[in-house]
Amino acid sequence: MIRAFARLPIALRVPLLGVGMMVLVGLVASQQVISALTRTQEARLAELTRQHVDGLSLALGPSVLRQDVWEVFDALDRASRAGEDRRMMLTVVADVDGRVIAATDPKRAPVDSMLSDLVDLDAVPDLHEIALSDGNRHVRVLAPLLYQDRDVGRILTELDVSDLTTERARAAMALLLFNMAATGGLAIVGYIVMRRMLRPMGVLTGRMSADQGRPTRFSDEEVPSGDTEIARLFHTYNSMVDAIEAKADAERRLAERERLVSLGRLSSSLAHEINNPLGGLLNAADTIETYADRPDAVRKSAALLKRGLLHLRDVTRAMLDHNRIEGQSGDLGPQDMDDLRLLVAPEMRRLGQRLDWDIALKKDDLLGVPAGPIRQIILNLLLNAIQAAGRGGHVSLSIRALPSGLRIEIVDDGPGLPEPALRRLMTSEPASTGGGLGLRFVRDLVHQLDGMVEHGRKDGATRIVILVPGMAKQEVA
């Protein structure tokens, strides 16, 4: 019940809570009114009964002492026909021993019968204990018959209180109807008011749900006026949107700067890789030009030219493959691994590093695995590992085929990833300045492939493992 209530819209929950509180207050107030009315009726009934008993005591005292049945009966008969005493349905007069002397209805209370045979004397209240109860139209009262301060008998009176109970029932019904009308009217008004008050919240919630991760600002015309708290909430939402856009813009600029830095570092290394064979090619061209009449020298120089040009072709092709569009890349193959090794070799030679290259893959293991994302992942992680290992460092790459896909492991003996870089690799938190945006690029690529990234630091080495599921293989199968 509570869970179902909690799932209701707040515009409905608040009025319902208000209705519940009003119903509770109405019930308490109605109970107090009915209780006050009952106390008033009981006090009036007790006063009427006391006057009746006092009058009878004064009139019947001598007759009761003389045990004059006819005098007592005559006095009772006159009293039952007079004014308010008509409320008295039955009056029985008994002596001190409880023997009936006379009654307004001799059939119900015969003369000389015992009063205890008519009623349970212990259950009949006295004048101070008269109480009206629901459903009880008659009330009995037992009072002493006093004459000249002497207790000369007992008076049992049965009163008709049907008019009082009817009056109380009508009052209760009137209160109930009034409370229902007031509660229903206030509930409707409360619902309308709450809907009106919460309408801006619904607009805000709808905008946030429709944005799907791309929040947009509210225009000045859309910000509600008059309600400073709601307006402040809208302005806060606009500030949040501005902050998100500024953060995303800064991340894009940082990513572009990181890409340019990585490209510059890679281009510088490849420029050295190209510049070295160019010197040999120029020497070979000079030799051919100088010794054109010597076939053996020309053949040797031509062979040198061919080897140099083939090397340049391999480097250029590796660069083109690295920058080709992902959607145009085919399946991963052994040549991609050779290109990756060729791309990182100049930087490793410059830093005097050692590379362990352990790739145990068959052609079937690479079937259906997209080359573009995998190349980008491995190259970015290798360049980061080379930079972290520093001069004379040690870097290793291991790739294995598992029943579930590919396992790529890169290890370096550098000082480890700083906290910002580690958050970019392992979480989707907004990127901050510093920390290597290439790692965020790696995480995004792995996420697109439904893969998983693992990181560990042990024995002075940083180990990053990429697990890529083999869903492409399953589709081919």
Side-chain angles (χ1 to χ4, degrees), residues 193-270:
V193 171
M194 285 301 301
R195 289 285 296 179
R196 184 177 180 85
M197 291 175 59
L198 294 176
R199 188 178 301 162
M201 301 299 296
V203 173
L204 180 59
T205 303
R207 174 69 64 86
M208 295 178 68
S209 301
D211 287 339
Q212 296 180 350
R214 297 181 298 275
T216 55
R217 299 180 85 260
F218 285 99
S219 63
D220 293 338
E221 292 77 14
E222 293 176 308
V223 176
S225 58
D227 192 334
T228 56
E229 293 182 355
I230 299 296
R232 188 160 57 248
L233 180 62
F234 272 65
H235 288 304
T236 302
Y237 174 81
N238 283 343
S239 301
M240 180 191 70
V241 173
D242 294 339
I244 292 175
E245 292 178 351
K247 192 80 171 179
D249 184 64
E251 187 170 344
R252 284 193 297 270
R253 292 198 303 270
L254 288 173
E256 181 66 19
R257 183 181 302 174
E258 181 77 10
R259 189 184 68 82
L260 293 176
V261 170
S262 299
L263 181 61
R265 186 169 63 247
L266 185 61
S267 300
S268 176
S269 300
L270 290 175

Side-chain angles (χ1 to χ4, degrees), residues 157-356:
T157 302
E158 186 174 291
L159 302 96
D160 182 5
V161 294
S162 58
D163 58 331
L164 300 180
T165 56
T166 301
E167 179 184 6
R168 188 171 59 175
R170 288 176 179 174
M173 181 59 66
L175 286 172
L176 178 62
L177 293 177
F178 175 78
N179 288 337
M180 289 178 59
T183 301
L186 291 176
I188 294 174
V189 172
Y191 176 76
I192 295 174
V193 171
M194 285 301 301
R195 289 285 296 179
R196 184 177 180 85
M197 291 175 59
L198 294 176
R199 188 178 301 162
M201 301 299 296
V203 173
L204 180 59
T205 303
R207 174 69 64 86
M208 295 178 68
S209 301
D211 287 339
Q212 296 180 350
R214 297 181 298 275
T216 55
R217 299 180 85 260
F218 285 99
S219 63
D220 293 338
E221 292 77 14
E222 293 176 308
V223 176
S225 58
D227 192 334
T228 56
E229 293 182 355
I230 299 296
R232 188 160 57 248
L233 180 62
F234 272 65
H235 288 304
T236 302
Y237 174 81
N238 283 343
S239 301
M240 180 191 70
V241 173
D242 294 339
I244 292 175
E245 292 178 351
K247 192 80 171 179
D249 184 64
E251 187 170 344
R252 284 193 297 270
R253 292 198 303 270
L254 288 173
E256 181 66 19
R257 183 181 302 174
E258 181 77 10
R259 189 184 68 82
L260 293 176
V261 170
S262 299
L263 181 61
R265 186 169 63 247
L266 185 61
S267 300
S268 176
S269 300
L270 290 175
H272 287 288
E273 188 73 7
I274 295 174
N275 186 57
N276 291 332
L278 280 179
L281 294 178
L282 291 174
N283 289 333
D286 290 340
T287 300
I288 291 174
E289 184 180 5
T290 303
Y291 302 101
D293 56 342
R294 295 176 55 180
D296 56 338
V298 172
R299 283 195 297 272
K300 290 181 179 179
S301 297
L304 179 61
L305 280 172
K306 185 177 181 180
R307 290 195 301 273
L309 290 173
L310 288 175
H311 178 72
L312 293 179
R313 184 198 66 181
D314 292 340
V315 173
T316 304
R317 187 181 62 188
M319 282 294 295
L320 290 175
D321 288 341
H322 172 65
N323 290 284
R324 66 189 172 189
I325 300 175
E326 179 183 342
Q328 298 177 347
S329 64
D331 294 343
L332 189 68
Q335 185 60 44
D336 293 295
M337 300 294 102
D338 295 338
D339 291 345
L340 287 172
R341 190 167 190 173
L342 181 64
L343 288 173
V344 300
E347 185 71 8
M348 298 199 72
R349 282 198 299 269
R350 184 181 68 84
L351 295 174
Q353 294 179 349
R354 178 165 59 91
L355 174 64
D356 291 339

Side-chain angles (χ1 to χ4, degrees), residues 394-414:
H394 178 206
V395 178
S396 67
L397 170 66
S398 173
I399 304 179
R400 293 287 185 273
L402 302 176
S404 58
L406 285 182
R407 183 181 187 276
I408 304 169
E409 181 182 79
I410 297 176
V411 182
D412 69 81
D413 60 357

